[in-house]
Amino acid sequence: MNETIFMIHGMWAKPHVWDAYAAFFTERGYRCVRPTLLYHDIEPGENPDPRLGTTSLLDYADDLEQAIESLDRCPIIIGHSMGGLLAQMLAARGLAE
């Protein structure tokens, strides 16, 4: 299997911010996984989920860890903004290629 790239978006964003990067890497044989952070699955103009205000970085990291563990091997992890911090946290847990 080809390498997997796990792309983590930042706060107030959604996975679509990685569309151009995912297309670039997919054309080169990478599998791109772009999860939605907890409680970020809302449409523009909708009120945020109230749980968003009590969700910690550790909550996000734990949720993303479960997604990574469902893969067949550790991915390359990249992130933007808060997603970059989460990528570092996941790498520190030994979950990154």
Side-chain angles (χ1 to χ4, degrees):
M1 177 173 172
N2 293 332
E3 293 283 343
T4 298
I5 302 176
F6 194 81
M7 302 172 163
I8 308 169
H9 66 80
M11 181 61 80
W12 312 120
K14 294 173 102 172
H16 70 84
V17 300
W18 294 110
D19 286 353
Y21 289 96
F24 176 88
F25 286 111
T26 299
E27 288 173 4
R28 285 151 182 83
Y30 291 88
R31 174 181 171 212
C32 296
V33 176
R34 297 174 288 163
T36 301
L37 291 176
L38 288 172
Y39 315 121
H40 283 71
D41 55 348
I42 62 170
E43 296 302 318
E46 285 184 356
N47 289 326
D49 188 304
R51 294 172 290 181
L52 186 62
T54 59
T55 303
S56 72
L57 287 171
L58 291 176
D59 294 329
Y60 289 122
D62 291 345
D63 185 61
L64 294 170
E65 181 175 349
Q66 288 181 1
I68 289 171
E69 288 178 344
S70 73
L71 302 173
D72 60 343
R73 63 181 172 174
C74 287
I76 298 165
I77 303 176
I78 61 173
H80 171 259
S81 190
M82 184 181 76
L85 176 58
L86 291 166
Q88 292 176 48
M89 293 170 69
L90 295 165
R93 294 180 182 189
L95 298 169
E97 177 60 39

